Amino acid sequence: MSSRSQDLTVSSASAWDEVFSDLHGASRIKVPDRRAPWAGRLEWQRSKVYGLALCAGGEEVVDRDTRHIRSDPRGTYELLVPLAGTAWVEQGSSSGEIGPGAMVLCDIDRPLTFAHGDDLVGLSFLMPGQNVAGRSPVAAEGPHILSGAGGLGRVIRQLTTTLHEEREQLSESTFDIACDRLLDLVCLAAEGGNDSAPTGQRATVEAAIRSYIREHACDRDLDVVGVARALGWSARYVQQVLQAANTTSRDLIRRERLNVARSRLAGASWAAYSIAEIAHSCGFGSHASFATAFRSEFGMTPREARRG
């Protein structure tokens, strides 16, 4: 099963209002002249978890205020990646102009203003707010204007562009796996990893913990004690570092095991193995507990993921 794709050409401002609201949520949209011809384009890819859209339209000013948010809450964050033209974004006390050398990460359920001319072409990466907060409380506090000219920002820009270009070649499971990795990079950039490596002892320890768990996720006896022993810290200190990052070792291990399981379910090299065998290989004690955790994390059953 592939992720759902939709390509639209819009010829009126009123029709564009509907398209924009479906993508970003209810908003007040102002355009210079609603009677004038409109040239809007939307290439929209979505799964049950993520969305990625290329948008191009006429000049507009968009306001999404508390009234719109109450009537149409989305629970999502958006990374806007301009490919051409410029846009003005304002949320809370932060504001700025962004073009092809920059990106912005915003919470769709916080009041914001978005304005651009008729030359803007941009990619919008939409992700669940709970996924952002679960990875990085810092990223969730946004908005964040990020550089896309070099380093990690350039990697994010290129990965977002490639995901859009290859969207019809990806199954829903593969699309979600790639989006998970893109979200990891976005959160790292929002935490300050775009210009230099994370500084400070706690950030260094957290990065080491995450890396170790990702590498050893399928070890059946992996726990906080084993992680701490392998990295040379106390279990209590590891717990404190992860608590400050709004997570726990158990949650990290479970999430990484589920990510590995989803990759194996979608991979041809594991096609001969049953779902129960894959669950066991990823460190889960029972098929039932694995299926429950998988559905809770990805919004689909392991069987549906394998079918994709």
Side-chain angles (χ1 to χ4, degrees), residues 35 102 132 150 203 226 239 271:
R35 296 169 297 180
V132 177
Q239 290 170 331

Side-chain angles (χ1 to χ4, degrees), residues 172-227:
E172 182 168 352
S173 294
T174 305
F175 178 75
D176 280 346
I177 291 168
C179 287
D180 277 339
R181 297 300 172 244
L182 175 56
L183 176 55
D184 287 338
L185 297 178
V186 171
C187 288
L188 180 59
E191 291 177 345
N194 195 45
D195 300 317
S196 61
T199 58
Q201 174 70 10
R202 179 165 288 179
T204 302
V205 172
E206 182 189 343
I209 293 169
R210 290 179 180 273
S211 177
Y212 185 86
I213 289 176
R214 185 174 293 117
E215 183 178 354
H216 297 274
C218 295
D219 295 354
R220 295 190 60 81
D221 58 352
L222 183 64
D223 59 14
V224 66
V225 174
V227 173

Side-chain angles (χ1 to χ4, degrees), residues 79-102:
L79 178 73
L80 174 63
V81 183
L83 304 180
T86 59
W88 174 267
V89 180
E90 181 176 343
Q91 186 168 64
S93 60
S94 298
S95 62
E97 186 176 74
I98 59 170

Side-chain angles (χ1 to χ4, degrees), residues 7 67 90 116 155 232 260-261:
D7 294 352
R67 176 174 55 86
E90 181 176 343
H116 64 84
V155 173
V260 173

Side-chain angles (χ1 to χ4, degrees), residues 261-281:
R262 184 171 59 173
S263 297
R264 290 179 178 179
L265 287 167
S269 61
W270 286 82
Y273 293 84
S274 69
I275 293 175
E277 288 172 329
I278 289 176
H280 188 267
S281 74

